Amino acid sequence: EKAALSSSKATPIPRILIVGNTSRPTHEFCDKKGLQEFFGKKGGKILFTPIPDYSTRMQIWKRCIENTSLNVHELTHNRKFNLSILSHISAGYSAGTIRAAVEKTLSESKVEILRKILASGRQSELSTNDFVSALSKQNFCYQKEYKKFIDYANSVNGEKKRREIEAALKKEKDEIAGSKTKKGGPKKKRKPKKK
């Protein structure tokens, strides 16, 4: 018996990492309780990745373009290319859709042509509209859908319950404070009326 116990301690227990990803957690076929039981118990994690804000989108555009081996700084010399505009118009798009738009716009052959143009000292002919065209064909997250994501994430990760408890405690505390001022709290002095 002792030998069996010591041998089981010597062999490492295999660790398994299961990663699930969905863009439709509120879909009718998605079992919310099943997801919570599977991923939420025994140290599991459920993560919500929000839609990136302006500054994050700016970094995503820059990184994705630079991953094609083009220098964003060199591209901005062209007045038709503006990274700030791309960051503004891509509100509501995920990082994956921005990356897909860059990949669709900057194919290997186009990148090679742009590199030759930039190496010769000329300005690139790449414009913001090239990316906008590719971006418009990607999935967009509307405000209504995004609110569903947030509500779902809050209900799954316990944030909703935490906020409810916080609100109840605050209400109780306010009621206690209100009853104290009514019973024996300091009375306000009235100013005499002027005639």
Side-chain angles (χ1 to χ4, degrees), residues 15-135:
R15 297 185 76 188
I16 299 171
L17 175 66
I18 298 174
V19 177
N21 187 13
T22 181
S23 61
R24 306 211 186 278
T26 56
H27 192 270
E28 62 185 287
F29 297 122
C30 188
D31 181 16
K32 184 175 164 183
K33 281 190 175 181
L35 283 174
Q36 283 178 311
E37 287 176 14
F38 187 77
F39 288 106
K41 306 265 176 150
K42 297 183 181 177
K45 301 277 186 209
I46 295 178
L47 303 173
F48 172 69
T49 308
I51 297 294
D53 62 357
Y54 172 79
S55 60
T56 307
R57 288 191 308 272
M58 177 81 88
Q59 293 301 315
I60 291 168
W61 278 107
K62 187 176 178 184
R63 177 66 55 95
C64 289
I65 291 170
E66 287 178 347
N67 282 346
T68 64
S69 73
L70 290 174
N71 187 339
V72 173
H73 182 70
E74 289 177 352
L75 294 175
T76 55
H77 292 301
N78 180 3
R79 290 183 181 182
K80 293 181 181 179
F81 178 78
N82 191 324
L83 201 58
S84 179
I85 290 173
L86 284 174
S87 300
H88 275 292
I89 63 165
S90 58
Y93 288 94
S94 67
T97 55
I98 293 172
R99 188 189 74 236
V102 170
E103 288 172 355
K104 188 168 181 71
T105 304
L106 297 175
S107 63
E108 288 182 31
S109 58
K110 189 162 187 171
V111 169
E112 192 61 40
I113 291 168
L114 287 170
R115 263 196 246 128
K116 287 178 183 176
I117 289 171
L118 293 171
S120 68
R122 296 182 293 164
Q123 286 186 358
S124 74
E125 296 160 7
L126 188 66
S127 70
T128 304
N129 290 338
D130 296 332
F131 291 100
V132 173
S133 175
L135 188 65

Side-chain angles (χ1 to χ4, degrees), residues 151 153-165:
D151 291 343
N154 287 341
S155 68
V156 170
N157 66 13
E159 184 68 19
K160 185 177 179 182
K161 279 186 180 179
R162 186 188 67 78
R163 286 184 183 166
E164 288 172 355
I165 291 169

Side-chain angles (χ1 to χ4, degrees), residues 146-158:
Y146 189 64
K147 180 157 178 23
K148 282 183 185 179
F149 276 124
I150 292 171
D151 291 343
Y152 173 78
N154 287 341
S155 68
V156 170
N157 66 13

